[in-house]
Amino acid sequence: MKCTVHASKNFVIGTADKRLFSSFVEQLGRCVYGGLYEKDHPLSDEDGLRSDVIKLVKDLDIPMVRFPGGNYVSNHRWEDSVGPIDERPVRLDLAWKALDPNTFGIKEFIDWCKKVGTEPMMALNLGTRGIDAAKDLVEYCNHPGGTALSDLRKSHGSEAPYNIKMWCLGNEMDGPWQVGHKTADEYGRLAAEVGKAIKLFDPSLELVACGSSNSDMPTFPSWEETVLEHTWEVADYLSLHMYFRNDEDDTETFLASSKKMDQFIETVVHVCDYVQAKKRSKKTMYLSFDEWNVWFHSNEQDKTEPKWNVGKHLLEDVYTFEDALVVGCLLNSLLRHCDRVKVACLAQLVNVIAPIMTEEGGPSWAQTIYWPFYYASKYGRGEVLDIRLDVPTYKNHHYGEVPYADAVLVYHAEEQELDLFVVNRSLDETMEISLDAIGFPTQLKLIEHILLHHTDLKASNDRDNPEHIKPVVMDITREPYKAPRQSWNLFRFSIS
Amino acid sequence: MKCTVHASKNFVIGTADKRLFSSFVEQLGRCVYGGLYEKDHPLSDEDGLRSDVIKLVKDLDIPMVRFPGGNYVSNHRWEDSVGPIDERPVRLDLAWKALDPNTFGIKEFIDWCKKVGTEPMMALNLGTRGIDAAKDLVEYCNHPGGTALSDLRKSHGSEAPYNIKMWCLGNEMDGPWQVGHKTADEYGRLAAEVGKAIKLFDPSLELVACGSSNSDMPTFPSWEETVLEHTWEVADYLSLHMYFRNDEDDTETFLASSKKMDQFIETVVHVCDYVQAKKRSKKTMYLSFDEWNVWFHSNEQDKTEPKWNVGKHLLEDVYTFEDALVVGCLLNSLLRHCDRVKVACLAQLVNVIAPIMTEEGGPSWAQTIYWPFYYASKYGRGEVLDIRLDVPTYKNHHYGEVPYADAVLVYHAEEQELDLFVVNRSLDETMEISLDAIGFPTQLKLIEHILLHHTDLKASNDRDNPEHIKPVVMDITREPYKAPRQSWNLFRFSIS
Amino acid sequence: MKCTVHASKNFVIGTADKRLFSSFVEQLGRCVYGGLYEKDHPLSDEDGLRSDVIKLVKDLDIPMVRFPGGNYVSNHRWEDSVGPIDERPVRLDLAWKALDPNTFGIKEFIDWCKKVGTEPMMALNLGTRGIDAAKDLVEYCNHPGGTALSDLRKSHGSEAPYNIKMWCLGNEMDGPWQVGHKTADEYGRLAAEVGKAIKLFDPSLELVACGSSNSDMPTFPSWEETVLEHTWEVADYLSLHMYFRNDEDDTETFLASSKKMDQFIETVVHVCDYVQAKKRSKKTMYLSFDEWNVWFHSNEQDKTEPKWNVGKHLLEDVYTFEDALVVGCLLNSLLRHCDRVKVACLAQLVNVIAPIMTEEGGPSWAQTIYWPFYYASKYGRGEVLDIRLDVPTYKNHHYGEVPYADAVLVYHAEEQELDLFVVNRSLDETMEISLDAIGFPTQLKLIEHILLHHTDLKASNDRDNPEHIKPVVMDITREPYKAPRQSWNLFRFSIS
């Protein structure tokens, strides 16, 4: 089939914020312990950080990493995770029914961030704690010195402040599973007062208020409206979380997941703008999609994990080629909403529903979903153009009319380059791509075609075949504009 | 007059839970200090526990004891009551305006429980504290080890966890007198979140949500409805409290007190089932009547007690024979609602509105109310049959038609025994009892008649006459089926 | 023009409570550090207290001083301000973006109070804290001994309890600027429960519930109604705050400020009495006007002060002669509402919108507003008579008809003296005063006329001309009953 992409240089959605390619490290399962941190691993450095994991993370060029939760944060005391490691208390994490040794705390995370070249985004516990604990943590991290808390940080070995710029006002506080879950009014009031205290400390800090845990929550989207009514003055971003599943092994529906993400984002934008109108405000509320991914493979196995251990095997989804196609579509969705979505965190980074897997004492490798994320991070940071697709559709019982192509077009002015990301959702037909881009001075010239494709939708990478699913650079002299059936593609065009 | 008790082997209310014969030890007056604990008493053991009190408690065979309050708990920090005794802080107890030395804390209570052969039931402070303090206490008590809090318990001399199975989510939170009193919504929300955290720790723990402090509270029974709406998922029991008084010296009204208890229980059952229907739930909410007794004698004297002392003479009701008859009726009420009331705590155990009295440095003795409780605890643990009484009634200005007999019939299948508890409320006439029990294979044979009777309703026991009021075993060869005027009776029948 | 003051011995508003002449010391700017406390000042005593400031304060005969805030209190932990000074933590005060060394804490304030002969009035943090912190502080301060907290105070060098009688249940909790700001319902519930705990400790303590921060708050006066509904049982006073400004340099409007204060007080009285009627209560709710003054001169300068310093130059209004006239009128307003206003605090005492200014290492002096306060404090403590004025009015765009005179008449029975305070608001005309006081046995005889007057409304005192604006005693043999244009006057009459 054919797919024509219509674009114009003057129709721009926005400039993609590099923070769209952020990720998330929760104190959960083997994300930290046995993931990015493994004391006795032969590849670990003097701080116990796995250098092979650092390499894989650095390759993804992740600008920001959310920490330390997730549900974890809602029953965590930050004081437990600072100071001399052997004096830190061992706690029970009620969220994941795990033992929390607090060995890898705030300083360790900050040090790791520096090593991988990323910025921290810190979540505050608004489940069991309030204003005092939150402002104390912010002061501990960010105040230069001369106060009890900032001097405490210095005594813990961090002379310079951490200068953490983004702070999450709690996590998924709409979820009944959350320790210290709140109603929209309860949360909105608490977040407003915590946020106010933090802005009194430093008005330049950016705060994320909790939106809904997903669009199927019974309180969505009235939660958003109520929370924004309370927090409008202090919140800079509203969060969105969404995970996608293919329980019924229905590929056509699963591949259309980006339509659900599109709709979720757009509904939340509408709520934001409704509250803005009610507030007679000039402020635009931006979105932080700070948890998103495919997540369902590990659900059954997780029920069998014993309680109260460190580094449990939890949420260890082994991703298929099919999942990678979905992740590609979801990245497209984030890019085409870059006017409002400024932050997005692939959840999570290592082992726990993650692009990177490790074996204890063994190797690490990239899962299938690593690759669309890798290329989006590398070529997505430009001006996203507002495209129209001329492509056939299929009827889906869940999503209605679904175009066979999910595409996004990114313009890099400096490089004079146009990058077209296309997922061909068809399970049968090759797609001939043509790009009709108006307003550029010269003819476009295809300079590279990167393809992620496999005949087996359920194929995946593992320790023994870590590169089973991996992108290939196509020979563009032969079939330059063809996206094979069930494939993720990046077409790079030179303008000059 | 005549009283015929109709019963049928097939009409069973339910099996009486042994926990119906539980009691309550509050940090109040001389219940602990000078009651069950008296360091320098000649009969005290190496832990300062009075062995004479232990003997009286063991005779009652109490399956569970609630601790440490009561109103006391709502301004108590559990951390104050653990660790080396001489390092524990002296606090003011605002509830009872007493000095709280924290000498007798959690470990001491657990040790005492073991000595008397009972289980602890612990109340959490939801007055001034929240989720963190509650889950910390549960972890301190029940987690085997390997965490800061469980290892703290070990370092305090308790290697094994306490395994406390029942926890009260606060105490009488509907009462404006309560430190940190809450509205029904405030309490319901807090109890739901605290309960959730505890169930995340251990879903097998049983939680009691606070119902009304008595049925005369202006918020009764809407309090129950609102609280259950919030806590339905986490609460296993809803509490009831009720105390009975005879201020106007009106014996006929006072003896009918069990009608008030019946009505209270039944109304609360109806609210529970209403919320169950609203929730479309399959769960049955059970009741914990965790404070009940006669209480009024000491009210005036209590106003004269000086503030901020340890072991104040508070709530030291000296019980009359009349009170014992009322307690007998109330035990009957609890037994005939054993399908829903699974726990009941006679409040309290020693000195404070208690069946057991002590003198500092002197003896201890059983009050009048000790005896109906003793026999109910001993012979009440069977199948309670649904009986109908054929007996005259009297008109009472408060309760309307009151039957002269208050009776309950308990079937012990293993022992092939039927035990009939009867209070004759008539102040003038002897009652001839006949038992018409259908469905049993053989004829019933009276094997024992235990009688509690005195001609003076106001007679009581004291240090010098500790056995003035005491049950007697009747000569059943003479008048086998007669309950004298104003008397409590137990008729034991053999079936085989 | 002429002004006749009609009065009758039998028409009495009430006896002015001496606490109407209270003041306020907040941990703000140079009120404490560099104000009443300056370690290295040549005039400071061994405790670092400036003796020249003490002298000026003692002259004002201030009965009570509110402490330690103000907005400051809502993010302060009292524990930080007790114990060995060199162990106290340095904190950030979010309210004033200042560094808080906690050097001058509770003990230091109490010691200072003793030196100047005043009583403390303490504010509790209901912004970030709750029941436990509040009752702990009260116990720490007021309990004689034998508990952990009272013994802690003793170990800190204060053997005797502080016996602080008045406590503010938070500060300006209706203000969105407040750390831990609350809705009326949130605040009312918290204040009710904190107040109850304190009254359980000592029912003789007097509690002030927060009213509105000023009458222009959007929640005024429904805030008052809601708060009183919740706190009626525990509150003895409701607070009022109000500051007056002359941004548009409109003297006629500015001089009428007392009309705004009158109306504010009267509206709050009506709300109190409305709630009293709803509650069917016999209790009269009294008012505590615990922040009032002129405040606007320093607003622009304050925006330039750097953050996170100790003793910042904040709120350092230099008061003009015009301001003194307004303060005179405001004092009159407080006196003529002495039946309900029992406490009033001139905000604040030193440097910060204050009657007393100091220079670091240099002198201290009285600002213009010092003087009307000085004389009101000295001659205002009597029976305030209900007067009627016969005086011309002027039309004001803001206040409508404004009498040229603002007067109040105070009867001192013991001294047989009548003291007439009169502000002549006319900028042009002298006012001839005549006093028509019925019911006194003898003729009135003028014994003194004290005048505060200057031709330049904008004249002020400063370090070099500390007595530029100062009252003078007039020669009453010449023009005994004349109040010059734009002047504050005290006419003292002898009755005997």
Side-chain angles (χ1 to χ4, degrees), chain A residues 75 77 89-92 94 97 99 127-129 176-183 186 307-308, chain B residues 131-133 135-136 139 143 145-149 185 189 193 196-203:
Chain A
N75 71 127
R77 296 167 170 104
V90 177
R91 298 292 187 195
L92 298 180
L94 298 180
K97 297 185 179 167
L99 204 67
T128 61
R129 310 190 82 183
W177 59 84
Q178 200 75 202
V179 178
H181 157 66
K182 309 243 176 322
T183 65
E186 289 170 351
K307 288 207 269 190
W308 315 133
Chain B
I131 302 174
D132 270 345
K135 74 183 178 73
D136 284 355
E139 181 184 336
H143 197 64
T147 67
L149 286 164
D185 276 308
R189 287 290 298 124
E193 297 305 320
K196 186 171 66 195
I198 293 172
K199 294 259 172 165
L200 283 169
F201 169 73
D202 182 354

Side-chain angles (χ1 to χ4, degrees), chain A residues 197-430:
Chain A
I198 293 172
K199 295 261 172 165
L200 283 169
F201 169 74
D202 183 353
S204 78
L205 299 182
E206 296 197 296
L207 302 182
V208 185
C210 287
S212 290
S213 298
N214 64 69
S215 64
D216 296 327
M217 297 295 295
T219 48
F220 175 81
S222 64
W223 170 276
E224 274 73 4
E225 201 257 322
T226 304
V227 167
L228 286 176
E229 287 275 0
H230 289 298
T231 62
W232 189 262
E233 298 302 321
V234 302
D236 302 287
Y237 303 86
L238 186 66
S239 78
L240 301 86
H241 289 185
M242 190 168 263
Y243 293 99
F244 300 89
R245 12 190 347 122
N246 187 19
D247 300 279
E248 298 179 9
D249 196 12
D250 170 0
T251 302
E252 290 204 337
T253 301
F254 190 40
L255 288 181
S257 293
S258 54
K259 292 201 75 166
K260 186 170 183 182
M261 186 183 251
D262 287 343
Q263 191 172 30
F264 186 24
I265 293 169
E266 287 157 26
T267 303
V268 174
V269 165
H270 299 159
V271 179
C272 291
D273 293 353
Y274 164 62
V275 178
Q276 182 192 17
K278 283 177 74 175
K279 295 272 185 187
R280 280 89 175 110
S281 167
K282 291 186 174 167
K283 174 180 185 171
T284 302
M285 185 61 60
Y286 292 106
L287 307 189
S288 172
F289 211 125
D290 43 34
E291 290 190 29
W292 70 272
N293 204 348
V294 172
W295 173 19
F296 71 106
H297 297 287
S298 59
N299 290 356
E300 284 309 307
Q301 199 261 314
D302 283 356
K303 293 174 186 164
T304 66
E305 272 291 297
K307 288 207 269 190
W308 315 133
N309 288 332
V310 181
K312 295 163 70 179
H313 286 264
L314 283 179
L315 281 67
E316 301 202 359
D317 275 38
V318 174
Y319 288 115
T320 63
F321 167 63
E322 183 183 56
D323 299 330
L325 295 180
V326 170
V327 164
C329 294
L330 298 173
L331 284 160
N332 288 350
S333 174
L334 293 169
L335 281 167
R336 70 180 153 254
H337 293 98
C338 70
D339 53 333
R340 297 302 286 271
V341 181
K342 296 298 178 188
V343 175
C345 301
L346 180 69
Q348 300 186 8
L349 190 55
V350 188
N351 289 326
V352 172
I353 44 172
I356 299 167
M357 288 297 280
T358 71
E359 198 182 73
E360 211 180 319
S364 57
W365 63 94
Q367 293 224 62
T368 62
I369 64 168
Y370 185 94
W371 296 111
F373 190 86
Y374 173 89
Y375 284 104
S377 178
K378 189 162 184 177
Y379 293 105
R381 304 178 189 196
E383 283 191 353
V384 181
L385 300 185
D386 188 12
I387 59 174
R388 293 293 177 274
L389 291 186
D390 196 353
V391 70
T393 61
Y394 62 93
K395 282 220 170 182
N396 175 263
H397 65 95
H398 193 80
Y399 290 111
E401 297 278 331
V402 178
Y404 275 109
D406 188 318
V408 75
L409 184 63
V410 182
Y411 173 49
H412 301 271
E414 204 168 331
E415 295 84 359
Q416 282 300 295
E417 179 174 329
L418 273 172
D419 293 326
L420 177 67
F421 296 89
V422 188
V423 173
N424 178 358
R425 287 181 175 121
S426 171
L427 306 180
D428 313 304
E429 289 187 44
T430 298

Side-chain angles (χ1 to χ4, degrees), chain A residues 131-133 135-136 139 143-149 151 185 189 193 196-203 230, chain C residues 75 77 89-92 94-95 97 99 125 127-129 175-183 186 307-308:
Chain A
I131 303 173
D132 270 345
K135 75 183 180 72
D136 284 355
E139 181 185 336
H143 197 65
T147 66
L149 286 164
D151 291 346
D185 275 309
R189 288 289 300 123
E193 296 304 320
K196 186 171 66 193
I198 293 172
K199 295 261 172 165
L200 283 169
F201 169 74
D202 183 353
H230 289 298
Chain C
N75 70 128
R77 296 168 171 103
V90 177
R91 299 290 188 196
L92 299 179
L94 298 179
K97 296 184 179 167
L99 205 67
N125 173 359
T128 61
R129 309 190 83 183
W177 59 83
Q178 200 74 205
V179 177
H181 157 67
K182 309 242 175 323
T183 66
E186 289 170 350
K307 289 207 270 188
W308 314 134

Side-chain angles (χ1 to χ4, degrees), chain C residues 318-324 355 366-372 452 459-461 469:
Chain C
V318 174
Y319 288 114
T320 63
F321 168 62
E322 183 183 57
D323 299 329
Q367 293 224 64
T368 62
I369 63 168
Y370 185 95
W371 296 112
L452 190 71
S460 61
N461 297 339
I469 310 291

Side-chain angles (χ1 to χ4, degrees), chain C residues 220 224 238 240 263-272 287:
Chain C
F220 175 79
E224 275 72 4
L238 186 67
L240 301 86
Q263 192 172 30
F264 187 25
I265 294 170
E266 286 156 25
T267 304
V268 174
V269 165
H270 298 161
V271 179
C272 291
L287 307 188

Side-chain angles (χ1 to χ4, degrees), chain A residues 14-192:
Chain A
T15 302
D17 193 305
K18 68 174 180 180
R19 295 172 302 171
L20 285 178
F21 310 104
S22 300
S23 187
F24 177 33
V25 165
E26 182 166 7
Q27 298 278 18
L28 197 185
R30 297 195 305 126
C31 186
V32 169
Y33 300 104
L36 52 90
Y37 172 86
E38 189 177 337
K39 193 130 203 70
D40 300 323
H41 195 279
L43 297 174
S44 285
D45 64 14
E46 68 286 0
D47 296 327
L49 302 175
R50 285 185 66 152
S51 60
D52 56 338
V53 173
I54 287 175
K55 168 77 171 63
L56 282 164
V57 173
K58 284 182 87 158
D59 287 350
L60 287 178
D61 190 13
I62 289 172
M64 190 166 67
V65 177
R66 189 166 169 252
F67 181 81
N71 298 339
Y72 168 86
V73 82
S74 295
N75 71 127
H76 187 248
R77 296 167 170 104
W78 69 263
E79 300 89 335
D80 292 347
S81 64
V82 300
I85 290 173
D86 55 2
E87 293 174 16
R88 295 184 195 164
V90 177
R91 298 292 187 195
L92 298 180
D93 166 30
L94 298 180
W96 301 106
K97 297 185 179 167
L99 204 67
D100 178 12
N102 281 303
T103 312
F104 188 89
I106 295 175
K107 178 179 187 304
E108 291 73 29
F109 176 67
I110 298 293
D111 288 347
W112 177 86
C113 284
K114 280 184 193 139
K115 283 186 184 167
V116 301
T118 193
E119 288 291 321
M121 175 195 201
M122 193 76 82
L124 297 161
N125 173 0
L126 296 198
T128 61
R129 310 190 82 183
I131 303 173
D132 270 345
K135 75 183 180 72
D136 284 355
L137 173 56
V138 178
E139 181 185 336
Y140 175 90
C141 290
N142 281 11
H143 197 65
T147 66
L149 286 164
S150 53
D151 291 346
L152 184 66
R153 180 200 68 239
K154 292 183 174 192
S155 81
H156 291 162
S158 297
E159 182 64 25
Y162 299 146
N163 282 324
I164 300 170
K165 284 298 171 202
M166 290 202 80
W167 295 85
C168 301
L169 297 167
N171 169 73
E172 294 189 357
M173 299 308 300
D174 64 322
W177 59 84
Q178 200 75 202
V179 178
H181 157 66
K182 309 243 176 322
T183 65
D185 275 309
E186 289 170 351
Y187 170 70
R189 288 289 300 123
L190 179 63

